Amino acid sequence: MSPDRSTVEQQQGTSDGELRQSAGENGASGPSTLSVTDNRTGKSYELPIEDGTLRATDLRQIKVDPDEFGLMSYDPAYMNTASCRSAITYIDGDAGILQHRGYPIEQLCEHSSYLEVAYLLINGKLPTQAELTDWVDEITIHTFVHENVKDFMQGFRYDANPMGMLVASVGALSTFYPDANKIKEERVRAIQIIRLLAKMPTLAAFAFRHNMGQPYVYPDNDLEYAGNFLGMMYKMTELKYRPDPRLARALDVLFILHADHEQNASTSAVRSVGSTQVDPYSAVAAGVAALYGPLHGGANEQALRMLKRIETVENIPAFLEGVKAGNERLMGFGHRVYKNYDPRARIIRKYLDDVFEVRGKSPLLDVATELEKRALDDEYFTSRKLYPNVDFYSGLIYEALGLPVAMFPVMFAIGRTSGWIAQWKELVEDPEQKIARPRQIYTGDRDLDYVPIEQRG
Ligand code: CMC
């Protein structure tokens, strides 16, 4: 954005408070402005529009009294506020399009690996073979965690929620790497990025083994990223864990599918905390905490519970009637952004067959398939543009992999780590970003006199 945007022309306007968008010198595709008339004063303002967006601070010049703060915008839940410029992920929710650095998610899932996608998200381009080899090697040799992390993990209760353990242990990594707070130094940033990608699966697997009451399994650096994770989860007495390639590939694709989704709640948390210039472990811990919430990382668990409750295909019509009557929601359907089939759901569906081939088919697959078909044939769902989202089928895969539901958001967190880091790096390198500090509309009392406790009724 040009620095002179704040020099906005003021003019006398009409008194009807009109909002009018005018094309700029270059016509409809050139620069454009919005004319606003403040009916309180009769003054008009011409506000620049760039990329279909007004700059909120341009509103500040609109005021009745020169001493007042100026106009603000009120936007709880950031329903219509862009908080950054980002070149990482593009979503067209109406068309069901998801692209990372311009590459469609379908192509990345077909041809790429999770670590290559992580490189793409973080570095902005696909790596050459040499770059990819170095990147994977670097991540592979950083998968171990300090032995004290194990002791720290041991301190949790046997039934501690693995997401709670992950929030704490990722945050704790900052204490092992005190240099990590030198976030202005590119070299320091680079090594933390490698460590975060490398150690996240190790922490997640330790949390799982802790819940199972089983000894923690060290990483096996002969294995690829997803296969190593499966080994740390499931290795027992065998000398060498050999992951089934179909399971490892399905898991790798799940990590790709969860890698980034632009400014969702957890990514916004990472950016907001990262804007304080804290180290990236603390910022990512904030992302994991946001993902812990059932509205974000927990919907796939709800979808699986729903399928279990429906139990058989025969029960679907009655269930859908209940949904249409407003008794409950069809979990794994609908999305704030996608008003079309979530492209991630379509891809997951393909990998279900591979996983079931190894693990045996879940009887819930028939229920899910039929439920999807009936819902997509039903005017209630089509008129509201409710389609399956990523969570409709992912729970079935996780269950087939032998994971308890408490681990579902942990799997999401492993994949999303690459996106969180990419967004954190973009934030740190963006000269326009400052500490995130929203405004408020104060609605409470003012100027009260303190009342001694004995005089309070
Ligand atoms: N089942 C039944 N009706 C629904 C559903 C659903 N899953 N989702 C939305 N609707 C209806 C809703 O009742 C409303 O109907 P009406 O206009 O008659 O009042 C209409 O559709 C619009 O719903 P909304 O709540 O305004 O939509 P939203 O954009 O605020 O909500 C959502 C998006 C994902 C929270 C919602 O669709 C939902 O609750 N889905 C189920 C939970 C779920 O699957 N969440 C995972 C999202 S994907 C995870 C990720 O990308 O990170």
Side-chain angles (χ1 to χ4, degrees), residues 261 295-296 299 323 328-336 339 342 344 380-381 384 386 389-391 412 416:
H261 217 224
L295 292 185
H296 193 1
V323 170
E328 61 180 304
R329 289 206 162 184
L330 171 49
M331 298 310 289
F333 257 64
H335 198 277
R336 175 61 60 77
K339 299 302 169 199
D342 179 341
R344 301 170 300 171
Y380 175 92
F381 295 94
R384 289 171 177 76
L386 300 170
N389 61 50
V390 69
D391 289 324
F412 192 154
R416 186 53 58 88

Side-chain angles (χ1 to χ4, degrees), residues 245-430:
R246 289 162 295 181
L247 296 186
R249 179 61 190 156
L251 191 55
D252 207 51
V253 169
L254 276 167
F255 289 154
I256 296 176
L257 289 174
H258 287 92
D260 194 54
H261 217 224
E262 49 117 307
Q263 307 312 314
N264 55 87
S266 59
T267 301
S268 301
V270 170
R271 278 184 173 264
S272 188
V273 172
S275 77
T276 66
Q277 302 192 352
V278 74
D279 66 88
Y281 302 104
S282 304
V284 166
V288 182
L291 198 60
Y292 201 169
L295 292 185
H296 193 1
N300 50 14
E301 173 184 344
Q302 297 308 324
L304 187 70
R305 287 192 198 285
M306 172 195 77
L307 292 175
K308 284 186 171 162
R309 197 158 38 86
I310 297 173
E311 204 182 347
T312 64
V313 169
E314 290 69 45
N315 293 333
I316 291 174
F319 169 78
L320 285 179
E321 284 313 310
V323 170
K324 286 163 29 179
N327 299 340
E328 61 180 304
R329 289 206 162 184
L330 171 49
M331 298 310 289
F333 257 64
H335 198 277
R336 175 61 60 77
V337 180
Y338 293 116
K339 299 302 169 199
N340 202 322
Y341 212 104
D342 179 341
R344 301 170 300 171
R346 191 171 277 125
I347 296 167
I348 287 188
R349 182 69 185 79
K350 282 199 288 192
Y351 284 90
L352 263 175
D353 296 336
D354 288 354
V355 172
F356 287 153
E357 197 179 291
V358 183
R359 292 292 172 126
K361 191 178 145 196
S362 162
L364 294 180
L365 178 62
D366 289 340
V367 178
T369 310
E370 189 59 24
L371 184 56
E372 176 191 335
K373 191 166 155 292
R374 300 232 185 147
L376 294 181
D377 269 350
D378 193 310
E379 198 269 338
Y380 175 92
F381 295 94
T382 50
S383 65
R384 289 171 177 76
K385 300 189 175 170
L386 300 170
Y387 295 89
N389 61 50
V390 69
D391 289 324
F392 193 65
Y393 288 111
S394 63
L396 283 177
I397 292 204
Y398 292 144
E399 193 189 41
L401 289 173
L403 291 165
V405 286
M407 278 297 285
F408 291 6
V410 173
M411 307 302 288
F412 192 154
I414 297 174
R416 186 53 58 88
T417 299
S418 54
W420 288 332
I421 301 171
Q423 301 269 352
W424 169 79
K425 181 170 176 279
E426 189 175 65
L427 165 98
V428 171
E429 293 172 356
D430 181 350

